[in-house]
Amino acid sequence: MYRRWINWLIILFAVGLFTGCGYNTMQRNDEAVFKAWGDLESQLQRRADLIPNLVEVVKGYAAHEKETLQAVIEARAKATSIQLSPESLSDPDAIAKFQAAQGALSSSLARLMVVVERYPDLKANQNFRDLQHQLEGTENRISVARQRYNAAVEKFNFSIRRFPNSITNNIMLNLERKEYFKADEAAQTVPEVKF
């Protein structure tokens, strides 16, 4: 009789241990990070796909602004050449290189928009306005995707550090903490407004 109670207690303890160990939660959170990263990459790809169309429209109106247009083309090429695999989301250097390339592209697009301000006919062109609206919408989507990615990273990082999940992670999974998508260093500087 005593042995039977001990067996039942061991079974209950084992069931409680495995249902509360967080194994499935950590796996789900890990996948959520990968999904959020995929969504972010999708929006970045959408931006990269729109840029050649935007450059071609601007070229027609601002042929002598080749330097700015070339900078946009080169920044797009560099941004699309740096790819991150899901495994490299834990590598701070890889994330930093990716973010630097995306920041350079954003910067060159901002310079392109300044060039556009000099050409009122271009701003009135329906094709350009459509592309500009799509690009603005894409930038907003990228911002939302970055926030969602960071929220997924926060949830995942907490889940692998929380007790008893941390024990399960150390024994069974060995998942590494993921890196956040951080602001570009240039974003730390307050922009100057000149009239």
Side-chain angles (χ1 to χ4, degrees), residues 48-62:
D49 292 344
L50 283 173
I51 289 171
N53 296 326
L54 182 64
V55 167
E56 287 303 315
V57 170
V58 174
K59 259 187 198 177
Y61 281 88

Side-chain angles (χ1 to χ4, degrees), residues 143-162:
S143 177
V144 169
R146 285 177 182 156
Q147 291 170 3
R148 288 181 179 160
Y149 170 76
N150 283 343
V153 167
E154 177 187 28
K155 187 174 182 179
F156 170 77
N157 287 346
F158 176 71
S159 74
I160 65 171
R161 294 177 62 204
R162 186 176 96 194

Side-chain angles (χ1 to χ4, degrees), residues 44 47-49 51-52 55 66-83 97-112:
L44 294 172
R47 175 174 65 178
D49 292 344
I51 289 171
V55 167
K66 289 181 182 176
E67 183 180 313
T68 302
L69 295 171
Q70 190 63 34
V72 171
I73 292 167
E74 289 170 6
R76 177 192 176 267
K78 185 174 182 182
T80 56
S81 71
I82 297 176
Q83 299 294 319
K97 286 178 186 174
F98 184 83
Q99 286 179 221
Q102 293 301 322
L105 179 56
S106 294
S107 176
S108 64
L109 283 174
R111 286 194 307 273
L112 179 62

